[in-house]
Amino acid sequence: MRTALLVIATILSVPALIGLVTGLERTDGGEVAVVRDGGPFDDNKVRQVIDPASGLTWTGWWSSTHGYPAQQRFYTITADPRRATTLGVDVVTVPSSDGVNLGIEGTLYFTLNLDHETLKTFDDKYGTRTFRAQGDAALYPWEGDEGWSAFFGQAVRPVIDNALRSEIGAMRCGELVPSCSLLESTALRPQSSNTNLVKVQNAVNATLARELPGTLGGDFLTGLRFTLARVTLPAEVQKAVDRSLSAGAAVSEAQAKVEQAKAEAAANRARQEGYDKCPACAEIEKLRSLPQGITVYAPGNPQSVVVPAR
């Protein structure tokens, strides 16, 4: 009987020991955690929030801990696969008002709202569901960087795309990409686009601040700031621009040669007029142009001999 009781006690103590060990959590400086109750006899409601850089904290028996980024994060949209937040080429393609598909690259900076009640609501809405990540994996937002990027790509990225589409679609290609104006008959020279890019950037920031809380269902993200890094042309349009620039360079070079020839002809005419007025000046100029070392010079004498000095 004692042996049986000992075996039963051992079997019961193992889960209790596991629950005790796993019931202690702590966060680092860049992490905030939302703890949900667990276990066979408990509910699954949010139990508590652990602030960043906490000490060892008791979270209860068999509770689950959802860790989220507490520092400023960024989401990068770029054609460079080494810098893109999602793997591979990741560019927003938006048509301008004159029908040119422009590639938009930029970065959204943000911080997760660390207010405890806001975090609890966020975990209820998004921490209890999975999002599609690379390779068709289904991940929770608290499952590392890949899980967070999966959530952001599905929940936040569409709002960014819509904001860019709205602002870019209201402008012509030449207003955003200076070289694009080379292809327009109304503009022979590229114009500066810096002011327009700043306008787009500011408008996108205003749209995100207004639309994201409504789309996500709360003020879960703070410090939103989108930086527009680059606007690119489609490959075929860029080739046409390059050809236009090459042709323009060739024309400029030819014009420069014409102007140089005109200048040289004018200089020669002016020089000859001076010689006509001053024959002695012409002879002096001839003497100056002789090689060094000449000792005999007899101008006007066909039998003259020029002897270099030894």
Side-chain angles (χ1 to χ4, degrees):
M1 179 64 70
R2 288 183 179 179
T3 302
L5 293 175
L6 182 60
V7 171
I8 293 173
T10 302
I11 293 175
L12 294 176
S13 64
V14 170
L17 181 61
I18 294 175
L20 177 63
V21 173
T22 58
L24 295 172
E25 295 284 353
R26 64 181 174 185
T27 58
D28 59 31
E31 179 188 33
V32 64
V34 177
V35 180
R36 303 190 78 93
D37 286 326
F41 306 108
D42 212 341
D43 56 35
N44 194 34
K45 294 181 180 180
V46 174
R47 172 190 177 95
Q48 66 195 98
V49 174
I50 305 177
D51 288 319
S54 72
L56 206 58
T57 303
W58 171 251
T59 59
W61 299 91
W62 299 289
S63 296
S64 59
T65 303
H66 299 171
Y68 296 106
Q71 297 174 331
Q72 184 190 61
R73 299 295 293 266
F74 54 87
Y75 184 85
T76 301
I77 302 170
T78 176
D80 185 351
R82 295 170 298 178
R83 295 178 52 240
T85 298
T86 57
L87 297 178
V89 176
D90 182 31
V91 176
V92 179
T93 301
V94 180
S96 61
S97 62
D98 48 354
V100 180
N101 287 327
L102 301 175
I104 310 300
E105 301 183 27
T107 300
L108 175 66
Y109 298 87
F110 63 93
T111 304
L112 185 65
N113 192 334
L114 301 184
D115 174 72
H116 285 198
E117 294 304 316
T118 303
L119 283 172
K120 292 177 182 179
T121 303
F122 177 82
D123 194 69
D124 280 334
K125 292 179 70 68
Y126 298 103
T128 55
R129 54 181 290 198
T130 60
F131 297 86
R132 191 66 58 189
Q134 293 293 322
D136 284 338
L139 299 176
Y140 291 97
W142 40 268
E143 290 189 286
D145 288 338
E146 289 188 6
W148 180 259
S149 295
F151 151 74
F152 211 87
Q154 286 187 242
V156 180
R157 175 65 180 269
V159 183
I160 301 175
D161 290 359
N162 287 337
L164 289 171
R165 189 170 290 108
S166 175
E167 299 304 324
I168 298 296
M171 293 189 173
R172 293 182 297 103
C173 176
E175 294 179 298
L176 298 169
V177 184
S179 58
C180 193
S181 62
L182 293 170
L183 305 178
E184 301 176 2
S185 59
T186 57
L188 299 179
R189 295 182 179 180
Q191 304 296 319
S192 174
S193 62
N194 292 339
T195 301
N196 292 327
L197 292 178
V198 171
K199 286 181 180 179
V200 170
Q201 185 172 281
N202 292 339
V204 168
N205 283 323
T207 300
L208 293 177
R210 183 177 63 253
E211 299 293 336
L212 269 179
T215 301
L216 298 180
D219 291 320
F220 301 130
L221 304 179
T222 64
L224 293 166
R225 180 170 59 86
F226 181 80
T227 301
L228 187 59
R230 190 168 67 147
V231 180
T232 58
L233 296 173
E236 62 276 10
V237 177
Q238 186 61 57
K239 289 179 181 178
V241 169
D242 293 340
R243 288 194 297 268
S244 178
L245 290 173
S246 297
V251 170
S252 298
E253 183 180 3
Q255 290 176 340
K257 289 181 178 179
V258 170
E259 294 301 323
Q260 181 181 4
K262 289 180 180 179
E264 290 177 353
N268 290 334
R269 287 194 299 270
R271 189 179 300 111
Q272 187 59 48
E273 290 177 358
Y275 293 159
D276 292 342
K277 294 179 180 179
C278 179
C281 296
E283 295 302 322
I284 293 174
E285 191 68 25
K286 289 179 182 180
L287 291 174
R288 289 178 178 176
S289 63
L290 291 175
Q292 292 184 353
I294 296 299
T295 57
V296 178
Y297 174 60
N301 183 0
Q303 304 300 322
S304 62
V305 178
V306 179
V307 182
R310 293 182 181 180

